[in-house]
């Protein structure tokens, strides 16, 4: 494992795959079947299950559990103590491992501290889930979601800035990226050259 940092208190089970430049900090447990890309960071007290696929440059903050049936694409950010689930109707006396529902978090999405992602949903690329939100349905790309249950309250630029409310074409005030917004979609058009 080239230039991988694993803290002495961390447990990385035999069989887990970690990409170059990945950092695993205090009291992390990465299960044997996990596949993790390059340049990822796992903060204190993180758990990664067996049936988990994590892309490159993913940042997972303290106290996050990434259970089986979760996929995080490149450049995903998971805020402190956010939660993934993998069973919709858990009971301690009923085994439901065969009923796990897949959750996919697309490239560049950010999930805020203490948010909950109910299993079986897709979070679109560059979506932004606000702190404490509870996601109970699919989230469109670039959507800004907040509340319980989470609802779309705006749109976010890929650079992480909220897009201003305008008609038709929206331009990011920070980076100049332009977006066409209509209905329940947000599509990048290219940088503003004016």
């Amino acid at each position: 494992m080239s230039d991988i940092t694993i803290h002495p208190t961390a447990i990385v089970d035999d069989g887990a795959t970690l990409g170059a430049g990945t950092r695993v900090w205090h009291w992390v447990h990465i299960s044997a079947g996990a596949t993790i890309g390059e340049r990822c960071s796992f903060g204190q007290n993180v758990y990664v299950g067996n049936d988990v696929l994590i892309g490159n440059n993913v940042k997972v903050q303290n106290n996050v559990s990434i259970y089986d049936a979760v996929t995080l694409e490149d450049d995903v950010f998971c805020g402190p103590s956010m939660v993934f689930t993998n069973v919709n109707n858990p009971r301690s006396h009923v085994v439901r491992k065969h009923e796990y529902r897949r959750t996919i978090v697309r490239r560049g999405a950010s999930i805020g501290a203490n948010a909950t992602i109910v299993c079986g949903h897709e979070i679109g690329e560059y979506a932004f889930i606000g702190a404490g939100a509870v996601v109970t349905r699919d989230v469109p790309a670039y959507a800004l979601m907040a509340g319980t249950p989470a609802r779309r309250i705006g749109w976010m630029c890929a650079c992480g800035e909220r897009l201003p409310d305008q008609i038709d074409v929206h331009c990011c005030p920070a980076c100049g990226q332009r977006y066409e917004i209509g209905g329940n979609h947000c599509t990048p058009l290219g940088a503003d050259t004016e």
Side-chain angles (χ1 to χ4, degrees):
M1 293 196 225
S2 64
D3 64 312
I4 295 171
T5 301
I6 300 174
H7 191 272
T9 62
I11 299 169
V12 178
D13 293 340
D14 288 342
T17 303
L18 280 67
T22 290
R23 297 174 315 229
V24 179
W25 297 111
H26 302 72
W27 304 296
V28 171
H29 181 190
I30 297 176
S31 299
T35 301
I36 296 166
E38 298 178 355
R39 301 175 318 282
C40 293
S41 177
F42 297 90
Q44 179 176 300
N45 198 39
V46 167
Y47 170 75
V48 180
N50 281 300
D51 182 17
V52 171
L53 178 60
I54 297 176
N56 297 321
N57 199 43
V58 172
K59 306 291 187 262
V60 181
Q61 300 298 305
N62 295 353
N63 305 311
V64 173
S65 291
I66 306 171
Y67 297 114
D68 286 352
V70 172
T71 297
L72 308 178
E73 293 186 345
D74 295 349
D75 302 318
V76 166
F77 176 87
C78 296
S81 301
M82 61 78 47
V83 175
F84 290 102
T85 70
N86 59 10
V87 174
N88 238 21
N89 55 340
R91 294 283 196 201
S92 69
H93 65 280
V94 178
V95 176
R96 291 205 163 100
K97 289 186 177 187
H98 63 285
E99 296 179 22
Y100 286 171
R101 295 184 181 185
R102 292 229 159 256
T103 299
I104 300 173
V105 182
R106 296 291 182 196
R107 171 189 296 274
S110 292
I111 304 170
N114 293 305
T116 299
I117 310 302
V118 176
C119 60
H121 300 292
E122 180 177 315
I123 297 175
E125 65 180 9
Y126 300 104
F128 196 100
I129 311 301
V134 178
V135 173
T136 60
R137 60 180 180 243
D138 288 351
V139 173
Y142 302 96
L144 172 59
M145 306 291 285
T148 305
R151 63 183 180 82
R152 190 180 54 74
I153 62 168
W155 299 99
M156 297 291 283
C157 180
C159 78
E161 294 293 325
R162 186 172 181 171
L163 295 173
D165 295 326
Q166 297 169 248
I167 298 172
D168 298 328
V169 175
H170 302 246
C171 185
C172 176
C175 72
Q177 175 70 46
R178 295 181 313 126
Y179 295 86
E180 180 179 37
I181 297 174
N184 201 30
H185 76 278
C186 178
T187 306
L189 297 174
D192 190 1
T193 58
E194 294 180 22

